[in-house]
Amino acid sequence: MLSEKSEFRVREFVLGIEGLALLRTAVDADDDFVARRVEEIRKFASGSGEGLPGGGASVDELDLGAGYAAWAGRYDSLPSSYIQVEEPIVHGLYDQGPVGTALDAACGTGRQTEALAARGYRVIGVDQSPDMLEQARRKVPDADFRQGRLEKLPVDDGSVDLAVSTLALTHLPDLTDAVAELARVVRPGGRVIVSDLHPFVVSLQGQCHFVTGDDSLAFVRNHVHLASDYLRAFTAAGLTVRACFEPLFNGSLAPGGYEEFIAEAARAAWRDIPIVIVWEAVKPLEGEQS
């Protein structure tokens, strides 16, 4: 379902990035860097920001179903600094095995399904979006794809060795039910791997916009989940956390994105900020304490 249209304020966005860059470098920035930031802030604040694409853009907030239907066709072609820093960690956890049956929950276009299958896992992919599943089936035709929601997975109790959900839980207002479902379908001794947008990024930036098939701007809402929220959800589901990773921004900006027009400020604003959080948890064996 569509919400009412709102405006993505491009000028205010770039001013915010410029201000964050100054805030984070207030002690150790050199005078020339500060002067360039102040000059750009004056230019954009006065409305004379040359090269800045537009003064604003209409943007739709889409629910999960409509959002991923609109996103599906372009999802794999969009560069993502989040995926760049997330995949080496998540794939490294896959490589620790043992290889068995894996669930890719909220599988989207099959990014992780493909990585798991390439490592010899038998993979079940679940997503609520038929459009995303269509893309995933093309990518990994031998996987078992099923339509369903994170909060009610169409998978039997204790039937998989590994349950994975990547960059998806941020779209849920609450983690509890989804994490409980991941724990339910994993056998005792099995693992749960979750990656998500880091709460720092969601708190600072808010929503991640994308271009739909008709070239309009849209977003699916991200929610802030603190580390304590994840820990409570894992504990409530009877899982034991084994590892947590917080990969940092790697300096990569989306080509053609608004931040490219203020690249120096953007890189200074996000430098050394964790942009993704990755969790590995284990379901205790029968009789073990969680």
Side-chain angles (χ1 to χ4, degrees), residues 5 19 24 36 96 137 146 150 183 186 188-189 192 201 220 222 232 245 252 254-255:
K5 286 184 180 292
R24 297 200 62 222
R36 289 193 296 274
Q96 293 178 15
R137 287 190 180 99
R146 308 173 187 179
L150 275 167
V186 171
V192 172
V201 168
V220 178
N222 295 323
R232 276 193 293 271
F245 306 88
S252 176

Side-chain angles (χ1 to χ4, degrees), residues 14-31:
V14 297
L15 285 172
I17 296 293
E18 295 278 2
L20 181 58
L22 282 176
L23 180 65
R24 297 200 62 222
T25 60
V27 172
D28 53 8
D30 62 64
D31 291 343

Side-chain angles (χ1 to χ4, degrees), residues 196-217:
D196 217 346
L197 300 188
H198 199 284
F200 280 8
V201 168
V202 182
S203 296
L204 287 170
Q205 181 172 301
Q207 309 312 315
C208 301
H209 300 88
F210 61 92
V211 179
T212 67
D214 62 0
D215 291 327
S216 61
L217 201 61

Side-chain angles (χ1 to χ4, degrees), residues 11 14 41 43 58 68 105 154 198 253 261:
R11 186 182 69 161
V14 297
I41 288 170
K43 179 174 66 175
S58 177
Y68 279 103
H198 199 284
L253 301 175
F261 290 88

Side-chain angles (χ1 to χ4, degrees), residues 6 8 20 25 37 93 106 126-127 131 141 146 153 157 188 204 209 215 237 243 249 260 267 274 290:
S6 56
F8 177 50
L20 181 58
T25 60
R37 301 286 69 74
L93 292 173
V126 174
D127 202 277
D131 300 87
R146 308 173 187 179
L153 295 167
D157 294 359
L204 287 170
H209 300 88
D215 291 327
F249 172 67
E260 270 208 332
R267 290 192 173 96
S290 62

Side-chain angles (χ1 to χ4, degrees), residues 163 165-166 169 182 192-196 230 234 277-280:
S165 183
T166 59
L169 295 182
L182 295 173
V192 172
I193 296 172
V194 170
S195 76
D196 217 346
Y230 291 100
F234 291 136
I277 191 163
V278 180
W279 299 91
E280 181 190 30

